[in-house]
Amino acid sequence: PGSHLAPCLDESLRSFAEKVFASEVKDEEVRGEISHFDVEDICPISRTEMTVHMMLQEASSAVEMRKKLIRMKTMKTTALAPPVAPGAVPSLPAATEEATSICPQYQAVPDFQRVQITGDYASGVTVEDFEVVCRGLYRALCIREKNMQQSLQRFPKTPSQYLRSIEGEPWKPSDLGPVFTPPVKEGQDPLDSGNLPEDLGYHVQMKDGIVYVYADKAAADRNEPKDLPYPILENFVDDMNFLLVLIAQGPVKTYAHRRLKFLSSKFQVHEMLNEMEEMKELKNNPHRDFYNCRKVDTHIHAAACMNQKHLLRFIKKSYCVDANRVVYNAQGKQLTLKQLFQQLKLHPYDLTVDSLDVHAGRQTFQRFDKFNDKYNPVGASELRDLYLKTENAINGEYFATIIKEVGSDLEDAKYQHTEPRLSIYGRSPEEWPKLARWFNTHRVYSPNMKWMIQVPRIYDVFRSKNFLPHFGKMLEYIFVPVFEATVNPQAHKELSVFLRHITGFDSVDDESKHSGHMFSTKSPKPEEWTSQKNPSYTYYIYYMYANILVLNNLRRQRGMNTFLFRPHCGEAGAITHLLAAFMTADNISHGLNLKKSPVLQYLYFLARIPIAMSPLSNNSLFLEYAKNPLLDFHQKGLMVSLSTDDPMQFHYTKRVLSHEGGVLQCVLSHEGCPLPHRGCPVPRRGVLQCLLSHEEKVKFLGEKYEEDGPDGNDIRKTNVAQIRVAYRYETWCYELNLIAEGLKNE
């Protein structure tokens, strides 16, 4: 889509894009050209620019002036629904007697006061700039739509409808998208391996960092891969360079900055006018409140999914039961649990939450290394290996037991779900089989848990120790075992069963570490990356996305569940991280640095990219709580949800997600933030963002949850006011409609 508005990048634009990228890690003269602004009084439209604009207007011919006036007169000032075909029923019914008679009462939108802009022109920038901006934003959305569809990830219906309207083409619902494992039926074994598909006999082989699938070894020798979509590096880099130029263009920054300011102000006015009506809706909603609406922790690491009191209690309990059990191998010598504690000069009875020392405080601020050390109870790596690892002398039994206890607590709480991350490092081909064996042997399953795989970006560590010859080998160890289990599940039964419960991939590590490498077509191929230097964030992201794209299409053909790409992104480091995620990721975790780029922030709003934010975690690592942009993003309408990141380091209670929301309410109450107690829009976004199956989301959100706008909101299940959902939807459509109007005469 959008090819007729996507001119090829000439060499000057490509050169400028490279300068933009390079300026993220070096202090160059071009930094001034791409500087970002998020402070009210730093606005690019200065008196000088206004003067130049007025002079240009005076010099314009009468014909040009007439064309501009016509454009201004045809601009729409309201947009309550996406474009529809002639004769079709709009997806957003008006709040009239006729509408309420055909809609269930809970789906009807009560009357509320709308904030509208009157006048002929409503974009906030000059006509010339507006046309440039609309072309750029349109192509940016097309790039994301194309990448999401190719990789079987999610792209909302509403912007797709507007994109097809711009192109003058009819919109058709897409049958492309993620495939989820259905919920386990009563009496069914979630780890059953009896119904695995047969072997296809395919041959898989990595080439230039991407796994290719062949009919057999002979086809691989002839270089004839199966008919699957394979990403083209040159196209990806061209799109990336275009976006780099876009986020650096002055008119686009001006437009995005002004629209975001408008969205924030508009929400404050909406709240002031409709607060009481929204509260009335919620008070009339029986049974449902913040405590019994569904909540999903969309960003949490398995190694820290328990709170510190839980871990302390388990350590003491294990000592009482297994004091004489051999649990540790130290340089060939086997140690019992009692001997291990004696070697550490500790006794579990004397341990307290304070002496356990796993809580992250101010001493970890801007110190990612010290934060990682907090995973070691009482500073002892031996206890981390014993209690928080899947591979050790007892085959990860203690770690599995702790996670199952967390899962049991979630099941007792009923309304809370979580998506814990387990690590695959890419240093050995045996990692996947060992992790799958741990999962199946200890039956680490809970209906309230959906699992993800996180890949730490620590190639440089493995390369320096000669574990890996090059970066391509790391990618091979991460993805080839999954391809082989997809092609021949019968030969990899444990892994195939484990993959049913995996929903996505994550990329993790300290983003503030710069590699200094610019990703481009000139970058070394993964097999050629033999240096001890770590590849850049974008390099990692592209090759993970590329392999997930091929893998998803192969698994969809086999009727297997697919995976979403959900990296840590924007917590620190360069804004190019967020740009790479815009192109490749279904959703992200953190996203703090969006506040530095108005263009990317606006694009994340238009595309409704989910962002799992963890303010308590950020407060201990990168950003003070009061400066966290979560409230600002929420007011503007970005799709933010709350997550905990590492309960062991940051939380004290068993209901960690409720604790996160409660702290947010207390800290930001003076800002008028209604997150926990005035409806549940943030928890609802978490459920939409997560990878629960379609059947589970229907149960938790309502039958029409996939619809955008109030039609998709069942207040009886979500406890989110219809007025609020209608406001968000109308505001979103208004911004998309501005782009469509700006391109009408193209």
Side-chain angles (χ1 to χ4, degrees):
S3 57
H4 66 291
L5 284 180
C8 294
L9 285 174
D10 59 27
E11 196 58 39
S12 62
L13 282 180
R14 185 174 286 106
S15 175
F16 181 69
E18 291 177 359
K19 288 182 180 180
V20 171
F21 204 115
S23 69
E24 293 295 343
V25 293
K26 296 180 181 178
D27 188 14
E28 298 184 0
E29 292 180 2
V30 75
R31 182 174 290 277
E33 297 180 47
I34 67 156
S35 59
H36 312 287
F37 54 90
D38 59 340
V39 183
E40 292 183 21
D41 57 352
I42 306 178
C43 187
I45 294 188
S46 62
R47 291 182 180 273
T48 304
E49 288 175 307
M50 289 301 294
T51 303
V52 172
H53 168 61
M54 295 302 293
M55 291 172 63
L56 287 174
Q57 274 197 323
E58 292 173 4
S60 298
S61 66
V63 176
E64 288 297 316
M65 285 297 294
R66 193 176 299 114
K67 285 173 63 178
K68 291 177 185 177
L69 288 172
I70 291 172
R71 165 62 63 83
M72 292 167 66
K73 288 291 182 183
T74 58
M75 283 297 299
K76 304 294 184 183
T77 58
T78 58
L80 302 185
V84 293
V89 179
S91 60
L92 178 63
T96 61
E97 291 184 10
E98 182 181 357
T100 54
S101 66
I102 62 174
C103 296
Q105 187 175 2
Y106 68 90
Q107 283 188 321
V109 181
D111 289 326
F112 68 99
Q113 299 185 72
R114 289 176 167 86
V115 182
Q116 293 184 349
I117 307 300
T118 60
D120 296 322
Y121 191 63
S123 71
V125 295
T126 65
V127 176
E128 297 91 338
D129 287 352
F130 182 57
E131 293 173 353
V132 172
V133 168
C134 290
R135 283 195 296 271
L137 294 177
Y138 162 69
R139 185 180 169 193
L141 290 174
C142 286
I143 289 171
R144 176 167 174 82
E145 181 188 39
K146 173 189 67 177
N147 290 352
M148 293 300 100
Q149 289 178 348
Q150 286 182 348
S151 59
L152 303 182
Q153 299 188 89
R154 300 175 291 192
F155 189 82
K157 293 180 183 178
T158 300
S160 281
Q161 289 174 293
Y162 275 101
L163 295 178
R164 299 297 81 75
S165 173
I166 290 170
E167 295 158 7
E169 298 177 2
W171 175 81
K172 298 178 181 178
S174 174
D175 60 347
L176 298 177
V179 180
F180 302 109
T181 301
V184 177
K185 297 178 182 178
E186 187 174 352
Q188 181 181 353
D189 182 4
L191 304 179
D192 178 32
S193 61
N195 56 347
L196 295 174
E198 294 300 318
D199 178 16
L200 292 176
Y202 290 170
H203 176 75
V204 297
Q205 182 175 317
M206 178 163 282
K207 176 185 175 183
D208 294 339
I210 299 173
V211 178
Y212 284 76
V213 183
Y214 303 90
D216 49 36
K217 185 66 168 64
D221 295 336
R222 297 192 304 269
N223 194 25
E224 297 177 356
K226 297 290 293 182
D227 186 20
L228 292 168
Y230 297 96
I232 300 173
L233 175 61
E234 290 75 12
N235 293 347
F236 181 88
V237 171
D238 280 347
D239 290 341
M240 182 184 71
N241 286 340
F242 169 80
L243 291 171
L244 282 166
V245 173
L246 182 72
I247 67 173
Q249 284 184 323
V252 186
K253 289 195 293 184
T254 298
Y255 180 81
H257 176 74
R258 285 176 171 258
R259 299 313 303 168
L260 290 168
K261 284 293 181 186
F262 170 73
L263 288 170
S264 183
S265 301
K266 185 177 182 180
F267 177 74
Q268 293 172 16
V269 176
H270 167 81
E271 267 212 317
M272 180 179 67
L273 296 176
N274 297 290
E275 178 180 3
M276 300 308 296
E277 287 301 314
E278 287 187 2
M279 285 298 296
K280 181 180 177 181
E281 273 195 89
L282 299 178
K283 288 180 179 179
N284 290 333
N285 187 34
H287 174 66
R288 197 68 64 186
D289 55 30
F290 175 73
Y291 297 96
N292 61 12
C293 71
R294 297 286 172 171
K295 292 177 281 292
V296 182
D297 195 341
T298 50
H299 168 208
I300 182 172
H301 302 278
C305 67
M306 74 301 294
N307 63 59
Q308 49 200 288
K309 183 62 176 177
H310 183 171
L311 177 61
L312 177 63
R313 190 169 57 246
F314 184 86
I315 290 174
K316 293 185 175 184
K317 177 183 176 182
S318 64
Y319 187 84
C320 291
V321 176
D322 292 336
N324 296 316
R325 180 184 180 183
V326 174
V327 297
Y328 196 79
N329 291 323
Q331 298 176 347
K333 181 182 178 182
Q334 293 185 330
L335 299 177
T336 65
L337 189 57
K338 184 175 182 179
Q339 290 171 334
L340 176 61
F341 275 100
Q342 288 174 344
Q343 181 175 296
L344 296 173
K345 299 179 180 179
L346 295 171
H347 193 286
Y349 179 80
D350 299 325
L351 289 178
T352 65
V353 165
D354 293 330
S355 61
L356 205 61
D357 195 28
V358 293
H359 191 80
R362 303 307 298 172
Q363 70 274 17
T364 61
F365 195 73
Q366 298 291 343
R367 289 295 303 273
F368 204 85
D369 55 337
K370 286 191 174 183
F371 170 74
N372 279 335
D373 289 341
K374 290 295 181 180
Y375 279 93
N376 299 316
V378 297
S381 60
E382 294 89 345
L383 295 185
R384 178 180 184 177
D385 291 341
L386 177 59
Y387 290 101
L388 303 177
K389 291 286 187 180
T390 59
E391 292 183 45
N392 51 37
I394 58 173
N395 298 316
E397 180 184 328
Y398 286 165
F399 186 37
T401 305
I402 293 174
I403 290 178
K404 288 194 287 185
E405 289 178 358
V406 172
S408 178
D409 288 341
L410 291 171
E411 292 168 41
D412 291 342
K414 184 179 179 181
Y415 297 101
Q416 294 197 23
H417 299 251
T418 187
E419 297 181 308
R421 272 81 166 157
L422 293 167
S423 293
I424 289 290
Y425 296 93
R427 65 187 171 195
S428 163
E430 296 302 313
E431 287 181 44
W432 276 105
K434 287 180 179 178
L435 185 60
R437 194 173 305 118
W438 169 82
F439 186 88
N440 287 274
T441 301
H442 300 292
R443 300 188 67 82
V444 190
Y445 168 80
S446 167
N448 290 53
M449 286 181 168
K450 300 293 180 182
W451 295 89
M452 289 184 59
I453 295 299
Q454 64 179 22
V455 180
R457 297 187 299 276
I458 52 175
Y459 159 79
D460 53 336
V461 175
F462 299 146
R463 183 68 186 91
S464 65
K465 296 179 179 179
N466 288 322
F467 291 161
L468 298 170
H470 50 72
F471 184 72
K473 187 61 69 173
M474 179 177 179
L475 290 171
E476 184 179 321
Y477 291 158
I478 293 169
F479 288 105
V480 167
V482 185
F483 274 87
E484 290 176 342
T486 301
V487 168
N488 187 4
Q490 297 290 343
H492 307 85
K493 289 188 176 182
E494 287 186 322
L495 180 53
S496 297
V497 171
F498 179 48
L499 290 174
R500 287 178 185 167
H501 302 281
I502 299 299
T503 58
F505 284 83
D506 192 354
S507 176
V508 300
D509 197 29
D510 181 6
E511 284 189 71
S512 63
K513 295 190 300 187
H514 290 295
S515 71
H517 170 77
M518 178 191 168
F519 181 56
S520 69
T521 53
K522 300 175 184 177
S523 299
K525 295 292 190 290
E527 292 84 354
E528 300 167 354
W529 195 290
T530 57
S531 72
Q532 294 188 6
K533 187 178 180 182
N534 209 29
S536 67
Y537 181 92
T538 307
Y539 194 99
Y540 271 101
I541 292 296
Y542 170 74
Y543 283 106
M544 287 194 67
Y545 164 79
N547 283 288
I548 291 170
L549 184 155
V550 182
L551 178 62
N552 278 351
N553 282 276
L554 176 64
R555 290 182 68 83
R556 182 184 175 90
Q557 287 185 4
R558 301 226 65 189
M560 298 176 175
N561 63 297
T562 58
F563 310 112
L564 297 186
F565 188 32
R566 304 170 60 184
H568 280 49
C569 184
E571 186 178 19
I575 62 161
T576 49
H577 300 184
L578 288 159
L579 184 144
F582 175 80
M583 297 177 65
T584 61
D586 180 88
N587 58 75
I588 64 170
S589 299
H590 294 302
L592 299 177
N593 280 344
L594 279 175
K595 67 177 185 176
K596 296 181 179 180
S597 174
V599 180
L600 278 174
Q601 191 180 142
Y602 191 57
L603 283 172
Y604 271 66
F605 164 80
L606 293 174
R608 283 186 70 81
I609 301 176
I611 308 167
M613 303 191 73
S614 310
L616 278 176
S617 168
N618 302 145
N619 183 62
S620 295
L621 269 169
F622 290 107
L623 188 68
E624 294 175 14
Y625 205 107
K627 297 178 181 178
N628 196 288
L630 188 150
L631 174 60
D632 181 51
F633 291 172
H634 168 70
Q635 290 178 333
K636 291 171 181 173
L638 275 75
M639 196 174 178
V640 294
S641 65
L642 270 180
S643 60
T644 60
D645 200 350
D646 295 286
M648 184 177 73
Q649 274 93 337
F650 309 119
H651 299 84
Y652 296 99
T653 66
K654 185 182 291 187
R655 306 286 183 261
V656 290
L657 199 55
S658 296
H659 178 209
E660 187 85 38
V663 172
L664 182 69
Q665 174 69 22
C666 292
V667 173
L668 299 179
S669 59
H670 65 284
E671 300 282 355
C673 177
L675 293 179
H677 300 308
R678 193 180 304 158
C680 305
V682 174
R684 177 176 180 262
R685 292 190 202 121
V687 180
L688 288 170
Q689 173 183 355
C690 78
L691 292 177
L692 291 170
S693 66
H694 172 70
E695 295 85 348
E696 290 167 304
K697 288 187 178 180
V698 166
K699 179 181 177 182
F700 300 156
L701 298 178
E703 293 182 358
K704 297 184 177 181
Y705 77 91
E706 293 177 299
E707 297 294 327
D708 295 328
D711 279 356
N713 179 53
D714 186 341
I715 187 174
R716 300 170 303 177
K717 294 179 179 290
T718 65
N719 199 43
V720 180
Q722 286 290 85
I723 289 175
R724 174 64 62 85
V725 179
Y727 163 78
R728 291 295 191 194
Y729 183 58
E730 292 173 16
T731 303
W732 185 28
C733 290
Y734 182 94
E735 299 299 320
L736 290 166
N737 190 66
L738 282 175
I739 299 172
E741 291 291 339
L743 294 174
K744 264 191 173 179
N745 295 331
E746 286 289 337

